[in-house]
Amino acid sequence: MTSGSIRSIMLLGSAFAGTMLAAPALAQQTAADAPEAGVAEIIVTATKSSQNLQDVPISIQAISNAKLDQLQVQAFDDYVRFLPSVTYQTAGPGSAKIYFRGVSSGENANHSTSQPTVGIYLDEQPVTTITGPIDLHIYDMQRVEALAGPQGTLYGSSSLAGTLRLITSKPDASKFSAGVDLEINNVQDGAWGGVAEAFINAPLGEGIAVRAVGWYDKDAGFIDNVLQTRTFPTSGVKATTAPYVKDNYNDVETIGGRIALGIDLNDEWTITPMVMGQKQTIHGFFGQETAAKRPMPKRTVAQYNPEFGRDDWWQASLTVEGKIGNWDLVYSGGYMKRSQPYDSDYSDYAYFYDALYGSGAFIYDNAGKVISPNQYIKSRPKFSRQSHELRISSPQSEPLRVIAGLFYQRQVNNIEENYIIDNIADSITVPGTASNIWLTRQDRTDRDYAAFGEVSYDVTDKLTLTGGARVYRYDNSLIGFFGYSAGYSSRTGVSQCFAPAVVSGTPCTNLDRETKKTDWLAKANATYKIDDDKLVYFTFSQGFRPGGINRRGGLAPYQPDKLDNFELGFKTSWADNMVRFNGAIYQENWNNIQFSALGENGLTVVTNAGDARIRGVEFDLTLAPTPGLTLSAGGSYNDAKLVTNFCAFANAARNCATPGPGGQANSILAPEGTRLPDTARFKGNALARYEFDIGSLTAHMQGAVVYEGDRVGDLRTATRQIVGDFPAYTTVDLTFGVKKDSWTAELYATNLFDSNGITSRSVQCGETVCGDPSGVTASGGIFYQYVIRPRTIGLKVGTRF
């Protein structure tokens, strides 16, 4: 810890201690000016209509605009940790995998595998992408909504386990407003960062307004790339990280913005076109290295090739809202383009295959001389998606209410992965490339069609019944090339081509497959209102994830998986709304689990891993006992485990004694009762905020604690023994701020005690190779742990006009 960081913490602690001592007296002196007591109301649109959160009979957590600011939320990682039902893994910006209620198999998600289990929406438009959610900078947002449990009837595919909705602030024609916010921060053992943000809302005429938002965010790095050398056994060539040694080398620059028009055509029709975009420039690597026989300090790594990337995306969207008679009609459409070029190290793959199997003997130049097998990757994927939804709903004031709609989306991922070894012989170079030992260039297209509806009927003033269904069809295809040259392999690549090149930049075509299916989902709900402040509900709901293509020849397409949810919940307010207590208890049956893992040649394979059962409970409690004081806590407990054996070769009977294709011996990769990976049994958070006056200033103090329990590292028993598990960790955040007129200033510390919590882990090839379980190599197996951001201390100032 640097002396500067120590001084900063001491100053922050002194400010908190002094304020805590002074606060009670100051609060008594200014009670007349203090905020009103009571828990603030939040309006949500989770059920595709505007309702008070307390009236929505589903498990939903919402973080309002004010609370997003109070919690220092700027990116995906910041808000997800305050959602008890949600866990995540990430390997850096734009690569997150999100899970609700323990619905995770530990899959190795990439461009050619399963769609996510959680749907992401930006306003009305789905922005779920195959390779990870967009890492949108959070500023001038109305709220974040987290809908736990399958949302299949209203939200469709990729809402198997839940849905996250990011709701932007809309243009307001009634008034002018604007704001500017600036921040400077320092990361423990890292560098300095900063943020500049601004928005303007301007009426342009009667019923017309424009809202423009912009941001620049420099996230300081905190991972050091250190000096290391390694010798490739076959060639004797040494590799070194020397050209890439750098402290704090995983910094990120984010610049973006959005502009939206709100146009009231008349009293009944409104159109809202919006364009939003963001560019992230990503340096370095976000994992700390762990080697079985070579301990390394935390937040250090040894990478032998450049690590650099970008995540650029933009989306144009249009929402039209109006009435036909007294029925509400909504159309929402969006078109997104995303590009994620990345250069990454792949030296471990080359080293371990050489050390364990002597593969370096097959890497040579045109003179036949064995050369360094050092390998790196240049990824150049491009992604596009369009979506359209048209829905109509009857008046919400009537006892019988109907919502019905049509949905269509099309996602296209132009996959390009270049695995490069410099100066290799022409005979082992993939034709048409400069020095590729391997090439993946494929076009993946995922299409979804659906018709959906829900009907609600108030049987009495207290009892409401709801039924819903979604009929869907998916049609997914994958075409192109993957593999080696014919001179390097007779089993994978050019040697397996069956047609001329279809995808540009490929030597030929060795993959052209499609899978499609039509099916339906159901939902049923009964809600009983005890009184105006309390309700209980029971819900049965379903979610699904489409099947897809295995790109390795000979493997059948993987099948869709489905989740059945049985949930009993309650929403209550007490003591004149000074206490709000919500909760749910549930069982979820996850059938035909999609599981993806690295196979031969580091090629991901997707199988259906049997069935699982999740039993859990979640709650959130908010207290506002006196003006200015808010206390809240939330938590979830999940018991998630397999209820059938996970067989190496899946079959409908879930019988691992049944041989695989061609009579191959089957085996149990994980027995019945195995705990599902990635999700803690318990996750919880607690928050205390106190607002008071100091003279002419309005001040606040806030403390937040987040606990993440231990998590299983892998579903497969043998692999788990190699990779290990994720230990529990706790973070503490503190904030002190003041406000005068339109100006605010705030001093904060996140992760105050500098926890090195692990969110996920990766390896550059199969765990039984790069994990080196037999301990043959000098380093032992090498894994990378992705850790949370270290202690960060920052100062924010802002103004509103």
Side-chain angles (χ1 to χ4, degrees):
M1 183 183 298
T2 66
S3 60
S5 296
I6 294 173
R7 286 195 298 271
S8 298
I9 295 169
M10 291 177 66
L11 287 171
L12 187 70
S14 298
F16 264 83
T19 309
M20 287 293 284
L21 290 171
L26 291 167
Q28 291 172 8
Q29 294 167 9
T30 59
D33 299 323
E36 294 184 4
V39 180
E41 179 182 278
I42 300 177
I43 301 299
V44 297
T45 52
T47 56
K48 309 258 180 173
S49 62
S50 296
Q51 290 179 276
N52 185 337
L53 180 144
Q54 290 300 100
D55 295 329
V56 181
I58 63 174
S59 179
I60 175 173
Q61 296 160 324
I63 306 178
S64 66
N65 176 284
K67 196 168 183 179
L68 289 169
D69 288 341
Q70 294 167 8
L71 294 173
Q72 316 302 329
V73 170
Q74 294 177 348
F76 168 82
D77 299 20
D78 298 328
Y79 65 80
V80 168
R81 64 196 189 100
F82 287 100
L83 300 172
S85 297
V86 184
T87 54
Y88 74 101
Q89 295 187 329
T90 182
S95 64
K97 292 177 282 186
I98 311 169
Y99 312 110
F100 271 89
R101 292 180 170 177
V103 181
S104 170
S105 63
E107 66 271 7
N108 176 47
N110 70 13
H111 49 72
S112 297
T113 61
S114 305
Q115 291 189 23
T117 62
V118 175
I120 312 293
Y121 275 69
L122 180 56
D123 291 325
E124 292 286 340
Q125 289 75 33
V127 292
T128 317
T129 63
I130 298 161
T131 55
I134 57 174
D135 200 351
L136 174 66
H137 181 85
I138 303 298
Y139 181 67
D140 191 46
M141 302 291 288
Q142 251 184 28
R143 65 188 177 277
V144 172
E145 298 177 3
L147 287 60
Q151 308 294 323
T153 51
L154 291 182
Y155 293 97
S157 67
S158 288
S159 285
L160 172 84
T163 301
L164 275 175
R165 304 182 70 235
L166 310 177
I167 312 299
T168 62
S169 297
K170 302 301 187 294
D172 182 356
S174 67
K175 62 181 179 180
F176 173 87
S177 60
V180 177
D181 294 276
L182 302 173
E183 175 184 334
I184 186 170
N185 56 60
N186 181 255
V187 179
Q188 176 69 25
D189 296 330
W192 288 88
V195 183
E197 305 161 316
F199 77 90
I200 182 172
N201 181 91
L204 301 180
E206 185 176 353
I208 303 176
V210 61
R211 194 175 192 98
V213 185
W215 56 84
Y216 172 81
D217 186 353
K218 174 63 181 292
D219 288 329
F222 54 87
I223 299 290
D224 299 339
N225 196 29
V226 299
L227 182 63
Q228 290 281 355
T229 60
R230 66 173 22 149
T231 301
F232 293 102
T234 300
S235 64
V237 174
K238 288 191 175 183
T240 178
T241 65
Y244 315 109
V245 168
K246 187 178 180 181
D247 289 344
N248 312 319
Y249 89 132
N250 64 321
D251 59 290
V252 180
E253 286 187 296
T254 303
I255 185 170
R258 71 176 188 267
I259 184 168
L261 276 175
I263 305 172
D264 295 331
L265 299 178
N266 53 41
D267 292 340
E268 294 185 341
W269 287 90
T270 299
I271 63 173
T272 309
M274 181 171 71
V275 177
M276 179 184 294
Q278 182 173 277
K279 177 178 181 179
Q280 287 185 304
T281 302
I282 305 160
H283 300 98
F285 184 77
F286 287 78
Q288 64 184 18
E289 185 171 318
T290 62
K293 298 180 180 180
R294 188 186 64 208
M296 293 179 65
K298 69 178 182 179
R299 299 172 189 146
T300 62
V301 71
Q303 298 288 274
Y304 293 81
N305 293 289
E307 298 271 356
F308 173 83
R310 294 199 320 272
D311 188 356
D312 304 340
W313 61 267
W314 63 267
Q315 176 176 274
S317 63
L318 176 66
T319 302
V320 180
E321 301 170 274
K323 286 186 175 293
I324 299 178
N326 61 353
W327 287 57
D328 294 320
L329 181 72
V330 177
Y331 164 79
S332 61
Y335 181 78
M336 170 188 280
K337 296 207 73 172
R338 187 181 190 187
S339 175
Q340 292 179 283
Y342 209 102
D343 293 355
S344 53
D345 181 75
Y346 209 49
S347 181
D348 291 358
Y349 177 96
Y351 172 74
F352 281 101
Y353 269 99
D354 190 17
L356 298 180
Y357 305 113
S359 63
F362 304 100
I363 306 300
Y364 47 85
D365 60 17
N366 281 328
K369 179 183 177 182
V370 173
I371 61 173
S372 170
N374 178 50
Q375 193 169 158
Y376 57 95
I377 305 172
K378 287 185 175 290
S379 301
R380 299 295 183 266
K382 293 182 179 179
F383 176 89
S384 65
R385 71 170 300 146
Q386 60 172 304
S387 65
H388 306 273
E389 181 175 291
L390 180 67
R391 67 177 185 270
I392 190 168
S393 55
S394 64
Q396 297 299 297
S397 58
E398 297 297 322
L400 179 64
R401 299 175 296 281
V402 177
I403 182 171
L406 300 172
F407 176 79
Y408 166 74
Q409 72 173 355
R410 184 175 189 266
Q411 306 179 65
V412 178
N413 192 6
N414 304 123
I415 303 162
E416 180 182 345
E417 303 278 335
N418 300 282
Y419 293 74
I420 300 170
I421 302 176
D422 291 330
N423 304 315
I424 57 175
D426 295 343
S427 61
I428 61 174
T429 298
V430 176
T433 69
S435 199
N436 277 33
I437 189 69
W438 176 286
L439 172 68
T440 298
R441 288 202 71 167
Q442 301 164 341
D443 288 346
R444 171 176 175 168
T445 304
D446 291 28
R447 311 164 190 85
D448 294 279
Y449 313 81
F452 62 90
E454 288 190 359
V455 178
S456 297
Y457 179 63
D458 297 332
V459 179
T460 69
D461 291 341
K462 294 181 177 295
L463 177 63
T464 300
L465 302 180
T466 299
R470 188 181 188 98
V471 178
Y472 66 85
R473 178 177 176 81
Y474 67 79
D475 184 350
N476 301 334
S477 61
L478 190 63
I479 184 172
F481 172 85
F482 69 97
Y484 300 109
S485 69
Y488 189 81
S489 173
S490 61
R491 297 171 52 197
T492 304
V494 173
S495 63
Q496 303 302 306
C497 283
F498 51 77
V502 175
V503 176
S504 175
T506 62
C508 50
T509 298
N510 61 10
L511 177 66
D512 184 2
R513 305 186 76 176
E514 184 176 13
T515 183
K516 59 183 70 175
K517 187 175 183 179
T518 301
D519 207 339
W520 67 287
L521 303 168
K523 175 184 177 180
N525 174 274
T527 302
Y528 185 79
K529 295 205 73 171
I530 300 170
D531 56 38
D532 290 342
D533 297 322
K534 303 174 188 66
L535 65 81
V536 293
Y537 67 87
F538 176 79
T539 293
F540 167 75
S541 60
Q542 293 182 307
F544 85 104
R545 190 165 46 160
I549 302 301
N550 265 305
R551 56 179 170 149
R552 183 177 290 282
L555 293 178
Y558 54 91
Q559 299 303 305
D561 50 1
K562 184 177 285 189
L563 192 72
D564 295 334
N565 174 56
F566 304 86
E567 179 176 327
L568 178 65
F570 61 88
K571 294 196 171 182
T572 63
S573 296
W574 306 80
D576 293 328
N577 199 39
M578 289 193 294
V579 179
R580 186 178 71 196
F581 184 40
N582 300 337
I585 183 170
Y586 48 84
Q587 174 166 318
E588 298 188 332
N589 299 327
W590 188 9
N591 302 310
N592 221 27
I593 299 169
Q594 292 177 13
F595 176 81
S596 54
L598 292 175
E600 185 182 356
N601 305 126
L603 196 65
T604 303
V605 173
V606 186
T607 59
N608 292 97
D611 304 329
R613 184 223 68 205
I614 301 102
R615 288 176 179 162
V617 59
E618 58 199 14
F619 74 92
D620 68 84
L621 172 66
T622 304
L623 309 174
T626 63
L629 178 63
T630 303
L631 306 172
S632 62
S636 68
Y637 177 86
N638 288 285
D639 176 23
K641 63 183 182 181
L642 291 176
V643 293
T644 63
N645 292 330
F646 173 17
C647 307
F649 298 101
N651 56 75
R654 309 289 193 262
N655 183 359
C656 297
T658 301
Q664 298 179 70
N666 209 341
S667 61
I668 299 176
L669 299 184
E672 175 185 347
T674 298
R675 181 181 166 191
L676 298 188
D678 301 329
T679 299
R681 284 194 174 95
F682 178 75
K683 178 186 177 182
N685 64 73
L687 175 72
R689 182 179 178 86
Y690 185 50
E691 299 179 356
F692 54 95
D693 289 343
I694 304 177
S696 62
L697 301 176
T698 301
H700 66 265
M701 296 181 301
Q702 180 175 285
V705 179
V706 177
Y707 172 80
E708 184 91 32
D710 64 275
R711 288 137 292 145
V712 170
D714 200 277
L715 180 62
R716 298 159 295 176
T717 304
T719 307
R720 179 184 176 187
Q721 293 173 352
I722 299 171
V723 305
D725 294 338
F726 303 135
Y729 65 91
T730 302
T731 61
V732 176
D733 303 344
L734 295 178
T735 304
F736 171 72
V738 294
K739 178 180 179 181
K740 181 175 175 60
D741 300 326
S742 62
W743 288 89
T744 60
E746 195 168 50
L747 178 66
Y748 72 86
T750 57
N751 192 10
L752 180 66
F753 298 107
D754 198 29
S755 169
N756 198 44
I758 302 168
T759 66
S760 60
R761 183 186 286 113
S762 72
V763 62
Q764 287 189 5
C765 59
E767 293 84 359
T768 57
V769 180
C770 287
D772 189 18
S774 57
V776 173
T777 61
S779 62
I782 293 179
F783 291 90
Y784 301 96
Q785 299 172 341
Y786 301 95
V787 296
I788 63 175
R789 194 167 186 79
R791 174 172 51 245
T792 302
I793 296 175
L795 175 66
K796 298 170 63 175
V797 294
T799 186
R800 295 293 180 267
F801 306 98

